Amino acid sequence: MAADSYDAIVVGGGHNGLVAAAYLAKTGAKTLVLEARGTTGGAATTEAPWPDAPEFRVTRLSYVMSLLPATIMNDLQLERHGYKIFPMGPYYQAFPEGGSLTLYEEDSQRAYDEIAKWSKRDADAYPKWNAWLGGLADVLGPLLLTVPPAIGSRKPADLAATLRLAWRHRGLDVRTIADVTRLMTMSIADLLDDWFESPQIKGALAVNGVIGTWAGPYEPGTAYVMAHHSIGDVGDGRLGSWGFPEGGMGAVADAIASSARANGVTIRTGAPVAKITLAPGSGRATGVVLANGEELRAKVVVTSLHPKTAFLDHVGRENLPADFAADIEHWKTRSGVVKINLALAELPDFTANPGTNLQEHHTGSVEMAPSMEYIERAFIDAREGRPALRPFSDGVIPTAFDRTLSPEGTHIMSLFTQWVPSEWAAEPHQDELEKYADRVIDTYNEVAPNFKGAILHRDVVGPYEMEQDYGLIGGNIFHGELSLEQLFHMRPAPGFADYRTPVPGLYNASSATHAGGGVCGIPGMQAAKAAIADRRKSARARRR
Ligand SMILES: Cc1cc2nc3c(=O)[nH]c(=O)nc-3n(C[C@H](O)[C@H](O)[C@H](O)COP(=O)(O)OP(=O)(O)OC[C@H]3O[C@@H](n4cnc5c(N)ncnc54)[C@H](O)[C@@H]3O)c2cc1C
């Protein structure tokens, strides 16, 4: 029997795969998405992890939105398909030694007063820091939507692209270039030491530099990670703002899936791909083979999987240029992240800000990262091969706004924590993960003594489960570390950062390409645009 045939097959139904499919289908392409799991969304997923309490739903992995550009929201009409965001409240840290810090981004006077409790000098510096970051975001923000050129290539088209990029930045002065250089090369700790003096403020601002990163705040390059997490907005035009999607992160993927279907995309779940097929001779991608042996053909294949799976398993080293295969083999993909999801009978009652009634400090990030040294210690533990004794945690309580996730009066709390040893991606370590989660909960209990008693259910997801169940190899949350050597024209390999691959007809929409990771959809959009442009070009060539 002849294999089913499509204009485009997208491997992986995470949010990027769905974005790619929607853009392809908008041009009239008959498009199929193949997703291994029983549901779409990938790391953007809302699940009910407790079979005896299905009324509680959690954003099991990713938990807040910021990076999805307005272009994609508008092109795919995501609001019409159910995309709705509640902007997050302030940053909040209650300190084990007493007191708290609430950073109000909206209200400069309140932010000043809060910071001045710890350091007047830092309170004066804070608006200048925000303005400095804003200036850098003006430079770096547009780069997120830029297709990286193949720097060093002598092909006329590549040279032209490199020159265009340089020309676009001709207005930058010496000082701005120096600031960008600092941001790209410094550790977040050294950068913050240049600006601030109090451990409390430095702890607060260091968190974004280490989210999802296999590096403590003293490692070079972490300043950029902070910028990556600080230059988006949730559509409200507020730099670095984050928000909770109604229905959890799975609802974002659902909105994209709904838009894709409205454009004619077919989505198959429970359909793991085992191989990408190539034409003998030309090596062009011709389709895929599913794990059950079913063969499907397509003129264009887009993969949104981790590059090690996509290229080393699905295409095969023997079908790739040796340099490219080596680059993918050397791709760094560690995180040491553990996600802890909790169902709570009541809100945390902080000694520093008492009350279980919903208050402003429950509505943003509810952190356990009291200083840079605290964060660094957690990393050193993991790098030395032990789970952190006192992990740091980026906590949020989405039910402060979103009442669709848990019954009235109860809450969901999501704790994004680091670190366990990166090698834990190879083994479940379930007992040790439970003990690690106990310690995270203890640290919150020290500052909110009702916390432990309020926990109704808990769900602990470590690197092994992230790799096995979600395809996040090495447990890295971004399909690959955001380290300097894996950014922009190097993401995921030099010469192939334009969402194309060494295999003609195969495109890359993974978070391991430029602007990924995060739930930003940019890799999906760019891969689709590259495929569409190439098809138009070859159609024009055929007509000539
Ligand atoms: C714990 C955690 C917290 C995070 N927090 C945030 C956050 O708060 N905000 C944010 O913006 N980002 C966050 N991220 C990062 C973000 O979630 C990811 O970068 C993004 O979701 C990746 O999307 P993707 O579509 O590129 O890949 P994925 O979501 O990984 O999608 C790939 C899909 O391919 C499927 N697949 C795998 N193998 C096969 C196969 N053989 N055949 C078919 N399908 C297959 C997978 O099941 C998956 O659905 C977090 C990630 C994690 C893990």
Side-chain angles (χ1 to χ4, degrees):
M1 206 171 70
D4 278 349
S5 185
Y6 295 85
D7 292 323
I9 287 179
V10 178
V11 184
H15 85 286
N16 270 318
L18 296 168
V19 166
Y23 272 95
L24 285 161
K26 266 164 75 79
T27 65
K30 182 185 171 195
T31 305
L32 172 69
V33 175
L34 295 167
E35 166 55 44
R37 300 181 71 234
T39 173
T40 49
T45 178
T46 305
E47 297 178 27
W50 303 292
D52 52 342
E55 64 280 20
F56 288 97
R57 296 186 308 133
V58 300
T59 53
R60 198 151 188 253
L61 298 176
S62 61
Y63 51 109
V64 278
M65 286 300 292
S66 163
L67 305 160
L68 189 79
T71 317
I72 296 179
M73 272 186 255
N74 297 336
D75 286 351
L76 304 189
Q77 298 187 300
L78 294 185
E79 284 179 358
R80 202 161 70 74
H81 290 279
Y83 180 78
K84 178 177 171 191
I85 296 287
F86 301 102
M88 268 173 85
Y91 165 99
Y92 177 73
Q93 168 75 55
F95 295 101
E97 62 276 19
S100 68
L101 171 68
T102 313
L103 278 181
Y104 303 95
E105 296 303 334
E106 300 289 75
D107 187 330
S108 46
Q109 186 57 49
R110 278 172 97 191
Y112 183 93
D113 294 343
E114 274 287 311
I115 299 173
K117 284 194 318 202
W118 302 100
S119 158
K120 187 161 162 351
R121 207 184 105 189
D122 287 357
D124 289 332
Y126 189 63
K128 294 179 195 139
W129 161 262
N130 278 334
W132 184 77
L133 265 188
L136 289 177
D138 289 345
V139 179
L140 295 175
L143 282 182
L144 287 178
L145 286 167
T146 301
V147 176
I151 297 173
S153 161
R154 305 246 165 91
K155 284 191 205 153
D158 293 334
L159 276 172
T162 306
L163 288 173
R164 264 199 311 276
L165 185 65
W167 181 250
R168 246 179 47 204
H169 291 94
R170 67 194 181 282
L172 295 186
D173 58 12
V174 170
R175 177 109 323 250
T176 310
I177 288 180
D179 285 342
V180 171
T181 308
R182 288 195 181 100
L183 198 70
M184 301 306 285
T185 54
M186 284 177 84
S187 73
I188 184 66
D190 283 345
L191 184 65
L192 291 173
D193 279 342
D194 285 350
W195 281 84
F196 301 102
E197 62 179 11
S198 68
Q200 292 80 3
I201 304 308
K202 289 193 260 186
L205 300 178
V207 172
N208 271 351
V210 292
I211 288 283
T213 302
W214 182 247
Y218 288 88
E219 305 281 323
T222 45
Y224 172 75
V225 179
M226 177 276 301
H228 184 85
H229 286 103
S230 307
I231 58 183
D233 67 61
V234 289
D236 62 358
R238 214 164 26 106
L239 179 72
S241 59
W242 289 80
F244 302 113
E246 186 173 62
M249 296 297 276
V252 176
D254 288 348
I256 303 170
S258 167
S259 168
R261 283 197 184 93
N263 283 299
V265 172
T266 304
I267 300 174
R268 274 178 67 180
T269 54
V273 168
K275 279 276 164 219
I276 291 172
T277 51
L278 309 179
S282 73
R284 196 180 168 81
T286 55
V288 301
V289 181
L290 300 188
N292 66 6
E294 186 184 352
E295 207 170 320
L296 299 161
R297 296 182 70 79
K299 295 175 193 130
V300 161
V301 179
V302 177
T303 180
S304 63
L305 270 47
H306 191 287
K308 286 189 192 275
T309 313
F311 297 107
L312 302 179
D313 298 345
H314 287 178
V315 173
R317 197 181 204 296
E318 64 286 6
N319 297 312
L320 294 165
D323 281 357
F324 180 83
D327 286 338
I328 300 298
E329 265 161 8
H330 298 152
W331 181 247
K332 300 281 182 294
T333 184
R334 303 156 294 182
S335 266
V337 167
V338 179
K339 183 73 194 302
I340 303 170
N341 300 301
L342 303 173
L344 298 179
E346 60 181 2
L347 287 167
D349 183 1
F350 290 97
T351 310
N353 302 82
T356 56
N357 54 318
L358 180 61
Q359 297 171 63
E360 223 175 349
H361 63 271
H362 294 119
T363 63
S365 45
V366 183
E367 301 298 88
M368 187 44 66
S371 68
M372 292 197 302
E373 287 65 33
Y374 184 103
I375 304 172
E376 175 72 1
R377 185 69 251 162
F379 179 62
I380 289 175
D381 284 350
R383 193 162 55 185
E384 289 177 354
R386 300 177 305 273
L389 190 61
R390 290 177 72 84
F392 92 81
S393 165
D394 184 33
V396 291
I397 307 175
T399 42
F401 299 102
D402 180 1
R403 293 308 321 160
T404 68
L405 296 173
S406 77
E408 208 41 57
T410 63
H411 285 276
I412 290 298
M413 188 163 184
S414 153
L415 305 177
F416 179 95
T417 75
Q418 289 173 197
W419 285 262
V420 295
S422 58
E423 303 79 42
W424 281 24
E427 301 274 346
H429 291 277
Q430 202 53 47
D431 291 347
E432 288 155 287
L433 280 175
E434 294 299 336
K435 289 190 189 115
Y436 170 97
D438 288 342
R439 294 199 295 278
V440 174
I441 289 165
D442 283 344
T443 60
Y444 277 101
N445 209 65
E446 284 171 23
V447 294
N450 73 330
F451 192 63
K452 222 190 267 190
I455 297 172
L456 300 169
H457 306 278
R458 70 183 217 180
D459 169 47
V460 184
V461 192
Y464 180 80
E465 194 176 347
M466 289 185 204
E467 173 165 326
Q468 297 298 317
D469 292 3
Y470 296 89
L472 300 167
I473 306 298
N476 185 276
I477 73 165
F478 298 135
H479 289 194
E481 295 167 35
L482 289 178
S483 46
L484 286 181
E485 81 285 8
Q486 298 196 158
L487 293 178
F488 201 55
H489 66 294
M490 305 291 283
R491 197 162 180 85
F496 297 98
D498 63 350
Y499 310 90
R500 293 174 177 85
T501 74
V503 177
L506 176 64
Y507 297 84
N508 189 357
S510 148
S511 278
T513 58
H514 172 59
V519 183
C520 66
I522 298 172
M525 176 187 73
Q526 298 285 32
K529 285 190 171 171
I532 293 161
D534 288 354
R535 284 199 59 77
R536 287 192 176 140
K537 203 161 131 198
S538 54
R540 274 199 303 274
R542 275 198 307 277
R543 278 201 299 273
R544 264 188 225 126

